[in-house]
Amino acid sequence: MPTVSPSLLLKHCRLPDDSPQVSPVDIAIAADKIVAIAPQLDLSAPTVIEVAGSLVSPPFVESHIHLDSALTAGQPRVNQSGTLFEGIEIWRDRKQALDFDDVCQRAMQALKQQASQGILYVRTHADVSEASLTALKALLSVREAVKDWMTLQVVAFPQDGLYGSPDSADLLEEALRLGTDVVGGIPHYELTREDGVRSVQRIFALATQYDRLIDIHCDEIDDDQSRFLEVVAACALRSGLGSRVTASHTTAFASYNNAYALKLMGLLRRSQINFIANPLINITLQGRTDTYPKRRGVTRVKELWQSGLNVSLGHDCIQDPWYSLGTGNMLDVASMAVHVCQMTGQDEIQACYDMITTQGAKTLNIADGYGIEVGKPANLIVLDAESPQAAIRDRATVKAVISRGQILAETTPPRLSWYL
Ligand code: FE2
């Protein structure tokens, strides 16, 4: 029993890894910590939530989003081809009009939308290819503004490449000095393969020098000759940075021949790097140059998971030049992964749920403070579902979001009335 009086009590909670036979538990929270978990807690609290057997889960983790471009779809024009490269061109025009308040206002709107749907951990990329570093400065300011209710990591992301223009590499380093959590890159978009390799080496050197995590947009292209993943994995292995390194997208991995993929998988296992797949976006962007058969364009999520590697899922875009849809709902992302990656077995659907919760926490290197356990921070969500599988199937409403022991948001599930 806790020695302090709880401030909040959740009754009859079903946890994500419970079998249907396991009795629901009560969860007691005091201040910002979980202080007790047991089937029948004989405790009272000023605020009691009767969960009545619904799923209570650690919050969703959005491990890959671009908040600086969020909510700009159609500005200054719509992406007619639907390709990644037209998206980059449109963003190049739109970002000429960026100002600090514009980025802050849209990022805050997107973060509130995400939080209301159960996300309390977000890794956002910030484009650092403009000399003013406006997007980066704005997102660092937003990180500070939301820190009491949301954990936001900011990646310094050189959208136009490190060696595409003379100042890009210096801007990336300046972004690290300003305080980004993570250093990023985009080797497949550099002018030559040699520049791509050089960019990965530079990113690792900077991460070591400034003690930062690494998250690289890697091989986001259908070109089966785009092979920067092996460079990232080899650098991770040699540097010992391992699980501090993430390869995002890696869509070309879906186009590699199986002989090469088999050899690569051995290196990946040794490197212990993390992967982020963005199935909503990559099923949309990739395969645009194919006729039929048309590739799915999403990395080998199932095989990476079966190999014991850490895979998480991201939304990538919310209504921006690359993807005019999206609401920030991680259950949409998990559902798309289930379909596109053909992970329809019960344990596979559970794995896709883990990819938006516990696996995402591993990617962000925050696993120590994450999860529903006594002594951990009281961050959890109550879903209108009885299991992770049902939550993905129904895109369940997140009924309550509790951040640092406080109720942050509540949503009433829709109620149907029939008049037949
Ligand atoms: Fe991205």
Side-chain angles (χ1 to χ4, degrees):
M1 281 294 153
T3 52
V4 291
S5 307
S7 48
L8 177 61
L9 193 58
L10 284 80
K11 302 285 289 180
H12 307 113
C13 311
R14 193 168 289 286
L15 300 178
D17 48 0
D18 281 352
S19 72
Q21 288 75 36
V22 174
S23 300
V25 294
D26 298 344
I27 300 173
I29 292 166
D32 59 354
K33 291 272 191 305
I34 297 171
V35 291
I37 303 174
Q40 292 281 349
L41 282 176
D42 186 18
L43 293 169
S44 58
T47 305
V48 177
I49 300 177
E50 177 49 71
V51 172
S54 289
L55 176 64
V56 176
S57 167
F60 295 139
V61 179
E62 169 56 271
S63 51
H64 190 118
I65 190 80
H66 296 254
L67 288 176
D68 51 0
S69 54
L71 306 174
T72 63
Q75 303 171 11
R77 61 187 183 279
V78 170
N79 184 337
Q80 296 291 356
S81 69
T83 60
L84 172 72
F85 298 109
E86 185 174 347
I88 292 175
E89 283 170 23
I90 294 171
W91 176 237
R92 193 174 289 142
D93 292 342
R94 174 59 176 85
K95 68 188 176 188
Q96 305 310 316
L98 280 188
D99 68 39
F100 186 85
D101 292 341
D102 165 38
V103 178
C104 289
Q105 183 269 325
R106 286 184 291 98
M108 190 61 87
Q109 185 181 340
L111 283 168
K112 284 184 174 172
Q113 197 169 322
Q114 292 172 310
S116 71
Q117 298 177 94
I119 300 171
L120 289 181
Y121 304 90
V122 173
R123 175 179 285 179
T124 181
H125 294 258
D127 186 350
V128 296
S129 56
E130 299 303 299
S132 63
L133 293 176
T134 301
L136 174 83
K137 290 172 184 170
L139 291 178
L140 290 176
S141 139
V142 169
R143 181 181 70 183
E144 180 67 17
V146 303
K147 69 179 183 192
D148 291 338
W149 52 273
M150 166 79 82
T151 299
L152 181 61
Q153 288 185 350
V154 179
V155 186
F157 174 49
Q159 172 76 75
D160 298 332
L162 262 191
Y163 300 113
S165 66
D167 299 332
S168 299
D170 291 341
L171 285 169
L172 181 65
E173 186 159 1
E174 175 62 12
L176 296 182
R177 276 193 222 102
L178 289 171
T180 61
D181 306 276
V182 188
V183 55
I186 186 167
H188 58 279
Y189 195 65
E190 300 287 351
L191 298 180
T192 66
R193 172 170 173 83
E194 288 71 21
D195 284 353
V197 172
R198 198 155 61 99
S199 77
V200 173
Q201 292 164 342
R202 178 90 179 116
I203 289 160
F204 273 79
L206 287 169
T208 303
Q209 182 183 346
Y210 289 89
D211 190 24
R212 304 296 156 85
L213 302 172
I214 293 173
D215 189 335
I216 296 176
H217 281 63
C218 189
D219 301 321
E220 189 184 11
I221 189 167
D222 288 330
D223 176 10
D224 64 350
Q225 297 301 310
S226 185
R227 294 185 173 182
F228 295 103
L229 178 54
E230 65 179 16
V231 181
V232 171
C235 286
L237 188 62
R238 289 179 182 137
S239 65
L241 291 179
S243 63
R244 292 176 60 80
V245 177
T246 296
S248 280
H249 295 287
T250 62
T251 60
F253 194 4
S255 293
Y256 296 158
N257 68 71
N258 286 332
Y260 174 67
L262 181 68
K263 176 240 180 189
L264 178 62
M265 197 64 93
L267 169 60
L268 299 177
R269 273 197 296 268
R270 289 173 65 204
S271 74
Q272 285 298 301
I273 64 171
N274 306 293
F275 289 81
I276 300 174
N278 299 287
L280 281 176
I281 303 312
N282 287 125
I283 192 65
T284 310
L285 292 177
Q286 310 311 129
R288 293 279 180 165
T289 57
D290 292 352
T291 52
Y292 288 93
K294 193 182 275 286
R295 283 171 286 183
R296 292 168 186 240
V298 175
T299 194
R300 301 186 187 210
V301 171
K302 188 195 286 195
E303 291 75 13
L304 288 165
W305 167 68
Q306 287 171 335
S307 293
L309 286 154
N310 187 56
V311 185
S312 57
L313 301 173
H315 213 295
D316 201 10
C317 306
I318 300 175
Q319 300 164 41
D320 70 9
W322 294 272
Y323 185 65
S324 64
L325 306 169
T327 64
N329 185 339
M330 293 310 293
L331 293 170
D332 280 345
V333 178
S335 176
M336 183 59 80
V338 167
H339 290 80
V340 173
C341 307
Q342 299 184 328
M343 295 184 68
T344 48
Q346 285 299 291
D347 59 336
E348 293 170 344
I349 298 175
Q350 173 73 49
C352 290
Y353 190 86
D354 295 344
M355 289 176 195
I356 58 171
T357 51
T358 51
Q359 307 291 91
K362 279 188 200 163
T363 300
L364 267 58
N365 266 245
I366 54 164
D368 286 350
Y370 181 88
I372 301 181
E373 290 175 32
V374 172
K376 289 205 170 178
N379 297 319
L380 41 88
I381 59 176
V382 181
L383 291 109
D384 187 26
E386 71 277 10
S387 67
Q389 289 85 355
I392 292 176
R393 180 194 66 207
D394 299 344
R395 314 296 195 282
T397 301
V398 175
K399 294 192 288 187
V401 180
I402 295 164
S403 173
R404 281 70 156 171
Q406 305 287 322
I407 301 172
L408 182 67
E410 288 183 310
T411 303
T412 304
R415 196 172 296 255
L416 173 68
S417 300
W418 277 105
Y419 300 101
L420 280 175

